[in-house]
Amino acid sequence: TKMNCRWTLRAAKGRWMVNISQQCSHGSIGLFVPPSPPLDPEKIRELQRFITLSKRLLVMTGAGISTESGIPDYRSEKVGLYARTDRKPIQHGDFLRSAPVRQRYWARNFVGWPRFSSLQPNPAHWALSNWERLGKLYWLVTQNVDALHTKAGSQRLTELHGCMHRVLCLNCGEQIPRGVLQERFEALNPTWSAEAHGLAPDGDVFLTEEQVRSFRVPSCRCGGPLKPDVVFFGDTVNPDKVDFVHRRVKEADSLLVVGSSLQVYSGYRFILTAREKKLPIAILNIGPTRSDDLACLKLDSRCGELLPLIDPC
Ligand SMILES: [Zn+2]
């Protein structure tokens, strides 16, 4: 279901509307999930065999698992939702150096937050959480920053690129929940009652220069700038976290990739480790991946359609 939508923003000097001419989605997943062939019963049986034989299964997930929750995948890849200044991905160095870049980033993030934070796990997230509960899943690594695995109850989890639901101070390192920051934004910008009625097809948020310049961004108690706890372009994953995941991969006996094309090296390197260890690798992703030739099993199905069909016992 597509429809036109608009954001209503109330500014200090009266009220104006921002019309978003692009088409938007209202809870429809069709817009974000690529088309896939119908489920092949033989493929389902092969994945079932793979899972049944696994005793220490490591699962790595990417943007493809969250499209069925309404998140366009090309946005969460690498940098996370709303991690852009207008059309360009935000650069870690620019964010650190420039107060105007941070102001623009947070204004957009503020507008997008109500929808983003309300997104819910889909059957694929619930299936993996269930596998953990039943002792099937040894460890879960995600490249996503949407917290949907946590919302589904997964605990044996590493968020490789961090999480949008946490904010940290670049000066003293203090962490606060993103929801708390939203309240501070609202208090500092009382006339900025922004309501997102949907998401543009590319998930973008449009704001004028004037709007951005009027947006007030709070600092940490120490005066330091705040940043979401996610890895932007030009930044690297914490080496301790990388080592930790390498150890989990080496302890595992099989690897299942769910919804990732493995184009990003931060995830791909664990495939290389699994390959070195000669672990069997299965890949569930609509479309080709960087590691199709390393996989003993490749499935082009919707994650939320296929995973709940697998018996983890
Ligand atoms: Zn601080």
Side-chain angles (χ1 to χ4, degrees):
T1 53
K2 294 175 176 178
M3 60 174 289
N4 290 318
C5 70
R6 62 192 180 187
W7 280 286
T8 308
L9 297 156
R10 248 165 273 144
K13 290 171 187 168
R15 184 175 174 159
W16 29 266
M17 312 280 269
V18 182
N19 284 301
I20 309 297
S21 58
Q22 275 82 0
Q23 292 178 314
C24 296
S25 162
H26 268 257
S28 161
I29 61 167
L31 205 58
F32 304 120
V33 186
S36 59
L39 285 176
D40 173 355
E42 181 49 35
K43 287 282 193 181
I44 300 172
R45 279 191 292 274
E46 283 180 46
L47 181 60
Q48 180 65 65
R49 262 196 302 276
F50 181 89
I51 298 299
T52 302
L53 289 171
S54 303
K55 299 300 171 218
R56 292 168 82 82
L57 173 69
L58 188 134
V59 177
M60 188 161 80
T61 68
I65 195 175
S66 291
T67 53
E68 289 167 64
S69 292
I71 301 177
D73 59 5
Y74 51 92
R75 290 184 58 75
S76 41
E77 189 173 295
K78 293 182 188 163
V79 288
L81 226 34
Y82 306 109
R84 301 200 294 180
T85 54
D86 295 331
R87 316 307 301 177
K88 296 193 309 275
I90 193 154
Q91 298 291 323
H92 183 70
D94 293 344
F95 190 93
L96 260 52
R97 274 188 299 272
S98 164
V101 167
R102 291 195 294 272
Q103 184 184 38
R104 173 169 296 274
Y105 173 83
W106 280 122
R108 293 157 53 78
N109 191 283
F110 170 70
V111 173
W113 180 252
R115 180 185 185 278
F116 182 61
S117 59
S118 69
L119 291 169
Q120 292 302 314
N122 65 58
H125 297 99
W126 291 113
L128 292 177
S129 152
N130 193 39
W131 293 8
E132 177 185 320
R133 199 170 50 80
L134 295 170
K136 172 56 73 177
L137 190 141
Y138 179 59
W139 204 261
L140 179 59
V141 182
T142 187
Q143 300 171 299
N144 300 337
V145 297
D146 52 31
L148 293 182
H149 285 302
T150 303
K151 285 182 180 178
S154 289
Q155 293 180 344
R156 299 176 65 82
L157 169 70
T158 298
E159 293 169 315
L160 205 52
H161 296 158
C163 180
M164 290 296 293
H165 288 247
R166 288 185 304 268
V167 174
L168 55 85
C169 169
L170 288 168
N171 183 43
C172 74
E174 186 177 78
Q175 290 195 7
I176 58 167
R178 175 64 183 78
V180 169
L181 183 60
Q182 191 75 359
E183 288 166 15
R184 292 173 66 188
F185 281 138
E186 283 165 4
L188 277 173
N189 302 277
T191 55
W192 254 71
S193 166
E195 229 184 299
H197 293 295
L199 199 66
D202 64 353
D204 216 341
V205 172
F206 298 97
L207 297 171
T208 64
E209 280 301 321
E210 195 189 350
Q211 286 172 282
V212 169
R213 274 197 306 272
S214 72
F215 189 69
R216 296 182 61 198
V217 180
S219 302
C220 176
R221 279 182 299 193
C222 77
L226 300 174
K227 176 183 170 293
D229 186 13
V230 300
V231 176
F232 287 147
F233 271 106
D235 193 8
T236 52
V237 179
N238 177 314
D240 291 340
K241 196 183 269 191
V242 174
D243 286 347
F244 178 87
V245 175
H246 273 306
R247 283 201 298 277
R248 297 293 86 79
V249 173
K250 286 172 184 166
E251 291 159 1
D253 70 356
S254 54
L255 173 62
L256 170 65
V257 176
V258 177
S260 174
S261 58
L262 300 166
Q263 292 305 322
V264 185
Y265 181 72
S266 70
Y268 178 68
R269 61 181 144 203
F270 302 119
I271 304 294
L272 299 179
T273 301
R275 183 63 182 169
E276 242 169 72
K277 281 272 296 175
K278 300 194 167 33
L279 300 188
I281 299 170
I283 299 178
L284 166 56
N285 185 66
I286 301 175
T289 80
R290 193 174 175 180
S291 303
D292 285 0
D293 56 330
L294 301 180
C296 62
L297 179 59
K298 169 72 201 299
L299 303 109
D300 287 81
S301 307
R302 282 192 178 191
C303 312
E305 214 171 5
L306 179 55
L307 293 185
L309 299 177
I310 302 300
D311 178 2
C313 298

